[in-house]
Amino acid sequence: MSDEVDSIRALTADIREFARERDWEKFHDPKSLLLALVGEVGELAELFQWVPADDAVAAFADPDRRQRAGEEVSDVLIYLLRLADVLDIDLPRAAHAKLVDSHRRFAADAVLGIAPKKE
Amino acid sequence: MSDEVDSIRALTADIREFARERDWEKFHDPKSLLLALVGEVGELAELFQWVPADDAVAAFADPDRRQRAGEEVSDVLIYLLRLADVLDIDLPRAAHAKLVDSHRRFAADAVLGIAPKKE
Amino acid sequence: MSDEVDSIRALTADIREFARERDWEKFHDPKSLLLALVGEVGELAELFQWVPADDAVAAFADPDRRQRAGEEVSDVLIYLLRLADVLDIDLPRAAHAKLVDSHRRFAADAVLGIAPKKE
Amino acid sequence: MSDEVDSIRALTADIREFARERDWEKFHDPKSLLLALVGEVGELAELFQWVPADDAVAAFADPDRRQRAGEEVSDVLIYLLRLADVLDIDLPRAAHAKLVDSHRRFAADAVLGIAPKKE
């Protein structure tokens, strides 16, 4: 495993190698990975479902709960990077391009304090 | 925006700054961010829902479809990093720890070619 | 289409017939239907994501927004009934059994006012 | 509990009474119910994630697996009906109207055997 814990590409390569070593690549078609991602999003949602919205940040300042949340967020991230990898998506570039595009679409002074509506 | 497109921390900081400049931090409580994440996962799922499982990788080798998939994966990533940030989760470390733990739980020779069951 | 709009079985039969008439049964394997369901859950989530939690019921008392929410809830329901149908699940009986089980597991006086934790 | 297991309205009333008896109505704002729904969709997704798409119907013909799937589909249904109820949505009518609308939008001979694209 890579020591560069902050690199999307290194983490992606580690996950790919993890799957390869276990001969799990055959399970990792995009639809299956998407369902696995949905499973992990569900586990994350369950942590928060009955917490009052205004208390959520404070409640998860508790070290055990933050640890649990961190594990579930990580599981979502791992399946997301794996999905991008099998689709041959250059995720660092794609995410950067998306942010650049958001800067263009949402000029700060035009949307100040206003939540954009999804059409 | 940072030039280090491959850094989880730099991307997280860029997203935080994007929200701050627009005074959108007030919308970014964990439950709202989770629902926004679910919205983006849904858009990603819609791209794949009727594609035959075995054709999915080939179908998304088409540049336009890969581009679309890359945008949706990026949207999921952006909300996931934002959620980790408001929860003060050190995601690079958490994800690395999760992978280390998976290496321990799933010894390669014990699970070779076998999809682990969710209990 | 059936006139018994309140019957789960009649609605399920209508949806089955709708798929059959269009030769869409070939698309309706369980994993594809699940991804379609996730897509509709995502659209529902997007309606609520930035609405303050305490205002959500009031905000959706507006006829247009309630109409929109009703459409998205219906889309989720339709894919859920279709999924149960292709899996040959007797959903009315299964849901009834689940409620009976919940009555047994959560005695009213033991959990009064307490949100049960997911393990 | 009602004996009319096939009635959406009766099931909705049973769920409402279940929540009322436990003083759980205070937890059932729309965003919390949506996250609970996402949690149950996640559990359903986990059952199918590594099953080959073509084997899914056959695999879940096994009585134990069908039972498990039935429980998870029921959990999704229960939260969906509860959500519709707190939003004061007349779900039987809304779902019927949605199907009528789909008949109009997707003429059988125009879409025969063709999966409609999400724009």
Side-chain angles (χ1 to χ4, degrees), chain D residues 94-109:
Chain D
H96 191 262
K98 204 66 167 69
L99 267 191
V100 169
D101 186 57
S102 291
H103 274 273
R104 190 187 52 72
R105 287 165 60 216
F106 303 109
D109 52 0

Side-chain angles (χ1 to χ4, degrees), chain A residues 1-11 14-15 18 20-24 26-31 34 37-38 40-41 43-45 48-54 56-57 60-61 66 69-81 83-84 86-96 98-100 102-104 106-109 111-116 118, chain B residues 1-11 14-15 18 20-24 26-31 34 37-38 40-41 43-45 48-54 56-57 60-61 66 69-78 80-81 83-84 86-100 102-104 106-109 111-116 118:
Chain A
M1 285 178 60
S2 170
D3 288 337
E4 306 173 61
V5 297
D6 185 38
S7 157
I8 295 173
R9 294 197 214 284
L11 183 54
D14 284 345
I15 297 164
F18 183 84
R20 202 193 54 72
E21 286 169 355
R22 281 154 191 77
D23 191 22
W24 285 358
K26 61 187 172 192
F27 300 119
H28 289 183
D29 67 284
K31 294 176 85 161
L34 255 169
L37 175 78
V38 167
E40 300 300 341
V41 170
E43 294 189 32
L44 186 55
F48 287 91
Q49 60 194 21
W50 307 133
V51 179
D54 296 341
V57 166
F60 282 81
R66 179 183 288 149
E71 289 169 7
E72 297 302 344
V73 172
S74 297
D75 282 338
V76 178
L77 179 65
I78 287 167
Y79 281 122
L80 190 67
L81 297 191
L83 176 63
V86 303
L87 291 170
D88 207 10
I89 289 168
D90 184 345
L91 186 52
R93 290 220 172 276
H96 190 263
K98 203 65 165 74
L99 266 191
V100 168
S102 292
H103 275 274
R104 190 187 52 73
F106 303 109
D109 52 358
V111 296
L112 197 69
I114 301 165
K118 305 289 290 199
Chain B
M1 284 178 61
S2 171
D3 288 336
E4 307 173 60
V5 297
D6 184 38
S7 157
I8 296 173
R9 293 196 215 287
L11 184 54
D14 283 344
I15 298 164
F18 184 84
R20 203 194 54 72
E21 286 168 355
R22 282 153 190 78
D23 192 22
W24 285 358
K26 60 187 173 192
F27 300 118
H28 288 183
D29 67 284
K31 293 175 83 162
L34 255 169
L37 175 78
V38 167
E40 300 299 343
V41 170
E43 294 188 32
L44 186 56
F48 288 90
Q49 59 194 23
W50 307 133
V51 179
D54 296 341
V57 166
F60 282 82
R66 180 183 286 151
E71 289 169 6
E72 297 303 344
V73 171
S74 296
D75 282 337
V76 178
L77 179 66
I78 287 166
L80 190 68
L81 297 190
L83 175 63
V86 303
L87 292 170
D88 207 11
I89 289 168
D90 184 344
L91 186 53
R93 291 218 171 279
H96 190 263
K98 203 66 165 72
L99 266 191
V100 169
S102 291
H103 274 274
R104 191 187 51 72
F106 303 109
D109 52 0
V111 297
L112 197 69
I114 302 165
K118 303 290 290 197

Side-chain angles (χ1 to χ4, degrees), chain D residues 55-102:
Chain D
D55 298 353
V57 166
F60 282 82
D62 169 78
D64 285 353
R65 291 184 102 173
R66 180 184 286 151
Q67 165 78 16
R68 273 291 280 130
E71 289 169 7
E72 297 303 344
V73 171
S74 297
D75 282 338
V76 177
L77 179 65
I78 287 167
Y79 280 122
L80 190 68
L81 297 190
R82 182 69 184 134
L83 175 63
D85 194 29
V86 303
L87 291 170
D88 208 11
I89 289 168
D90 184 345
L91 186 53
R93 291 219 171 279
H96 191 262
K98 204 66 167 69
L99 267 191
V100 169
D101 186 57
S102 291

Side-chain angles (χ1 to χ4, degrees), chain C:
Chain C
M1 283 180 60
S2 171
D3 288 336
E4 306 173 61
V5 296
D6 186 37
S7 157
I8 295 172
R9 294 195 214 285
L11 184 54
T12 301
D14 283 346
I15 297 164
R16 183 191 312 144
E17 179 64 12
F18 183 84
R20 202 194 54 72
E21 287 169 355
R22 282 154 190 78
D23 191 23
W24 286 358
E25 290 150 316
K26 60 186 172 192
F27 301 119
H28 288 183
D29 67 283
K31 293 175 85 160
S32 296
L33 287 168
L34 255 169
L35 290 177
L37 175 78
V38 167
E40 299 300 343
V41 170
E43 293 189 33
L44 186 56
E46 287 177 349
L47 295 182
F48 288 90
Q49 60 194 21
W50 307 132
V51 179
D54 296 341
D55 297 354
V57 166
F60 282 81
D62 169 78
D64 285 354
R65 292 183 101 174
R66 179 183 287 150
Q67 165 78 17
R68 274 291 280 130
E71 289 169 8
E72 296 303 345
V73 171
S74 297
D75 282 337
V76 178
L77 180 65
I78 287 166
Y79 281 122
L80 190 68
L81 297 190
R82 183 71 183 133
L83 175 64
D85 194 30
V86 303
L87 292 170
D88 207 10
I89 289 168
D90 184 345
L91 186 52
R93 293 222 169 276
H96 191 262
K98 204 64 166 71
L99 266 191
V100 168
D101 186 57
S102 291
H103 274 274
R104 190 186 54 69
R105 286 166 60 216
F106 303 109
D109 51 359
V111 296
L112 197 68
I114 301 166
K117 281 246 179 59
K118 304 289 289 197
E119 320 74 276

